[in-house]
Amino acid sequence: MEGNTEKIRLSFWKKILGSIRGIEHYENVLKETTGKAILYLLLISLLLGAIGSIRGSIEANNTISEFMKIYNDNCPNFELINGELSVEGSMPMVLSDDEDNYIIIDTTNSTNPDVLDSHNQGILILKDKMIQKKNQLQTQVTEFKSLQELTINKDIAYSYLPYAKIIIPFIFIVNILGYFLGGLLSSLFLALFALIINGIFKTRLKYGQLYSLSIYALTTPLIINTLLKILSIEHFNFYWLVYHTIAYVYIGLALNKLKSSQNNLEGVREMWNDKL
């Protein structure tokens, strides 16, 4: 059993290396079923998707941990009970005076909601409601009386903050799915391009073979995309054009190699026929 597992693992790594460096590899790909090509895409999506998610997951974990520390150190003691909020400290209390994130608390209800007019976005928290200005045209009011059956204080809220880290596994899942589904979709378009080259070179390949070829041609672009994620480099303008152009080049070279092989084979056949 272990021997079989090792063989499969090595075959997968050889396919990755062959897809990157050897045009000859693509001739072998054409001998496989489309299902095996899709399985290869799934495996490389699991590998690269997981690797590409590491940095984002670490940053998400650090951000949540940092927010928990700031909340514990700076947030005043408060309690929301029977639809009314009480906060320790002198009022009004300005938590943020940023133009785009103004936050003020006043449980004495002496602060006029007009205080938000001079800010692009902001939140005014009163004893019985919260007024959130989302933009110049939209303001949302949340009445605390709708939360009468709910009791919240600083300690209770803090105890739920660690659950925010549940987002981390989803970063991996979404990234892996993005690689796999994106690869399937990109291969569809790449295969259409390959049909044109296939007609020009007269290599007489079926669409399923060209689709398999397209999947393997995405190997290098997928690896480059993963490296950009690891290095936290943002995609530049026309990135996806460059991404697919690399795959186009692999496909073009592979079909050109296949054309040469077919011509050589036909030449050998003609030579033997002449001798006979």
Side-chain angles (χ1 to χ4, degrees):
M1 185 69 180
E2 291 180 0
N4 293 335
T5 304
E6 181 72 3
K7 183 178 180 181
I8 294 173
R9 187 180 69 83
L10 289 175
S11 176
F12 171 65
W13 288 108
K14 285 180 179 179
K15 284 183 178 181
I16 292 179
L17 293 175
S19 298
I20 296 171
R21 69 186 184 187
I23 302 303
E24 293 83 0
H25 166 72
Y26 292 94
E27 292 187 68
N28 297 325
V29 167
L30 297 175
K31 300 174 184 177
E32 297 185 346
T33 63
T34 304
K36 284 189 176 181
I38 294 176
L39 176 60
Y40 169 80
L41 178 61
L42 175 60
L43 293 175
I44 199 170
S45 296
L46 287 168
L47 174 65
L48 298 181
I51 294 174
S53 301
I54 292 174
R55 187 184 184 97
S57 299
I58 292 174
E59 290 177 350
N61 180 73
N62 291 341
T63 298
I64 295 171
S65 296
E66 183 178 355
F67 175 80
M68 291 176 61
K69 185 177 185 306
I70 293 173
Y71 171 87
N72 193 47
D73 294 342
N74 300 326
C75 182
N77 289 321
F78 68 89
E79 184 175 50
L80 177 63
I81 186 171
N82 296 326
E84 292 189 353
L85 176 68
S86 60
V87 181
E88 289 185 3
S90 56
M91 298 290 145
M93 182 183 298
V94 178
L95 299 183
S96 171
D97 58 1
D98 189 284
E99 183 70 18
D100 295 320
N101 189 34
Y102 184 70
I103 303 176
I104 180 172
I105 300 175
D106 186 1
T107 53
T108 65
N109 283 9
S110 60
T111 299
N112 194 300
D114 293 344
V115 71
L116 298 177
D117 291 347
S118 58
H119 301 276
N120 296 327
Q121 297 178 14
I123 297 175
L124 170 61
I125 301 175
L126 301 173
K127 181 178 182 179
D128 56 349
K129 61 186 173 183
M130 178 179 72
I131 303 172
Q132 180 182 8
K133 181 181 179 182
K134 297 182 177 181
N135 51 54
Q136 295 296 337
L137 300 176
Q138 187 178 11
T139 299
Q140 179 178 328
V141 178
T142 302
E143 300 284 349
F144 292 153
K145 64 182 180 181
S146 62
L147 305 173
Q148 282 187 351
E149 298 181 359
L150 187 65
T151 298
I152 305 175
N153 57 40
K154 180 179 178 178
D155 292 335
I156 292 176
Y158 184 81
S159 68
Y160 283 100
L161 290 180
Y163 291 105
K165 294 187 178 182
I166 198 174
I167 192 177
I168 294 176
F170 286 99
I171 293 176
F172 282 87
I173 294 172
V174 170
N175 205 34
I176 290 171
L177 285 176
Y179 271 78
F180 182 62
L181 297 179
L184 290 176
L185 184 60
S186 293
S187 296
L188 286 174
F189 291 105
L190 288 170
L192 291 176
F193 166 80
L195 274 175
I196 299 174
I197 305 300
N198 183 53
I200 295 173
F201 288 170
K202 298 180 180 178
T203 44
R204 300 186 297 275
L205 296 178
K206 297 179 181 179
Y207 183 80
Q209 292 175 302
L210 296 173
Y211 187 76
S212 297
L213 188 69
S214 300
I215 287 176
Y216 286 96
L218 283 173
T219 300
T220 298
L222 286 172
I223 291 174
I224 292 175
N225 187 57
T226 303
L227 290 174
L228 292 178
K229 286 188 176 184
I230 293 173
L231 298 175
S232 195
I233 299 176
E234 295 185 3
H235 291 166
F236 48 84
N237 292 334
F238 308 110
Y239 166 78
W240 290 110
L241 177 61
V242 175
Y243 176 93
H244 289 97
T245 298
I246 295 172
Y248 290 150
V249 170
Y250 272 96
I251 291 173
L253 292 174
L255 292 178
N256 183 60
K257 173 69 176 177
L258 183 62
K259 174 189 175 184
S260 299
S261 299
Q262 289 178 343
N263 289 338
N264 291 337
L265 181 59
E266 289 175 2
V268 171
R269 286 174 178 171
E270 290 178 1
M271 182 181 69
W272 279 103
N273 289 334
D274 291 340
K275 287 183 178 182
L276 293 173

